[in-house]
Amino acid sequence: MFRHIKSDIQTVLDNDPAARSKLEVIFTYSGVHALWAHRIAHWFYLRKWCTLARVISQVSRFMTGIEIHPGARIGDRLFIDHGMGVVIGETCEIGDDVVLYQGVTLGGTGKEKGKRHPTIGNNVVIGSGAKILGSFTIGAQSNIGSNSVVLKEVPPNSTVVGIPGRVVRQDGRRPDRLSHQLPDPVVDSIRALQLEIERLRAELSDLKDEQSARKHQVTQENK
């Protein structure tokens, strides 16, 4: 327990340049308080004291603005920066060295039973306001852009942006512009417009050629 507490404090000092001392972290960082409350609630949850576990999590939510279900499994060195509005669902699994910013939701998409929340790999950074909804995996070393809405699995070492979220960089390279790892109606609409513009250009070129041929024919007849 004390090892975890020391690690949590050091994680804040390593990630937040505004943190000046361990004492400041202990008394003023709501992300740390929510994490400590979750560990207590999770201990009771695993021993089937579910109501007491939920009471602890709700008190923590009231005090910190961060809602972590007692059933969520959280790895080492999670850093919740600011944290207001963060929601972590019951079957969510979070790996080591993950960073969550304010307004992040790790939630489900319906009333299905069993695993219904995302699994977050190691060393993932999730930007402010991002929503990750459903039972799938966010690969290790990935970055989820602010306000993205991710509805499908993300490969490791990826950068995701947009609504719905799409992979814009993987393993340091941009993906094939024709690949559809994640659906994006905006990109689809732009591609459709590009095809329509190309078709209209081709028709206009044909009309110009036809008009030029007619003018040439009239000129020859007048001679």
Side-chain angles (χ1 to χ4, degrees):
M1 178 179 177
F2 289 106
R3 180 183 64 83
H4 279 298
I5 291 174
K6 183 178 179 181
S7 176
D8 295 335
I9 296 170
Q10 189 59 48
T11 297
V12 174
L13 294 172
D14 291 341
N15 285 278
D16 189 355
R20 296 175 177 82
S21 68
K22 293 181 179 179
L23 199 62
E24 181 181 359
V25 172
I26 292 171
F27 286 105
T28 67
Y29 275 73
S30 58
V32 172
H33 302 157
L35 193 55
W36 291 344
H38 169 71
R39 291 213 180 95
I40 298 171
H42 187 64
W43 188 89
F44 283 109
Y45 184 86
L46 292 178
R47 287 153 182 81
K48 308 302 181 183
W49 289 66
C50 297
T51 300
L52 178 57
R54 287 304 301 271
V55 169
I56 294 171
S57 71
Q58 290 301 299
V59 171
S60 173
R61 175 179 179 268
F62 177 79
M63 298 297 294
T64 66
I66 300 169
E67 182 171 348
I68 308 176
H69 193 284
R73 298 178 179 272
I74 297 177
D76 295 332
R77 297 176 298 280
L78 172 65
F79 176 50
I80 303 176
D81 193 13
H82 297 291
M84 180 62 70
V86 167
V87 178
I88 300 175
E90 178 183 12
T91 60
C92 185
E93 299 177 29
I94 300 177
D96 299 334
D97 302 296
V98 172
V99 176
L100 305 180
Y101 289 95
Q102 64 270 22
V104 168
T105 298
L106 306 179
T109 56
K111 296 182 179 180
E112 67 272 17
K113 300 293 184 180
K115 184 75 165 73
R116 59 190 185 279
H117 298 98
T119 297
I120 311 299
N122 297 334
N123 296 290
V124 171
V125 177
I126 304 178
S128 303
K131 315 299 178 187
I132 302 176
L133 307 174
S135 178
F136 52 85
T137 299
I138 303 296
Q141 312 288 338
S142 292
N143 293 318
I144 310 300
S146 296
N147 295 315
S148 299
V149 178
V150 184
L151 303 174
K152 289 188 177 181
E153 187 157 332
V154 174
N157 305 300
S158 298
T159 299
V160 176
V161 299
I163 303 175
R166 66 186 185 276
V167 176
V168 296
R169 188 171 294 275
Q170 184 178 353
D171 294 321
R173 300 185 300 274
R174 291 186 179 276
D176 180 359
R177 67 183 182 92
L178 297 179
S179 69
H180 287 268
Q181 293 181 339
L182 293 173
D184 191 331
V186 176
V187 172
D188 291 342
S189 297
I190 292 173
R191 285 174 180 161
L193 288 172
Q194 287 177 335
L195 292 174
E196 183 66 14
I197 290 170
E198 289 175 3
R199 185 185 67 80
L200 292 173
R201 282 177 174 173
E203 289 184 2
L204 182 60
S205 178
D206 291 340
L207 288 173
K208 286 182 176 180
D209 291 341
E210 183 179 344
Q211 186 179 23
S212 178
R214 286 178 180 178
K215 286 182 179 181
H216 180 71
Q217 184 180 358
V218 170
T219 301
Q220 292 298 324
E221 290 175 354
N222 291 335
K223 289 181 179 180

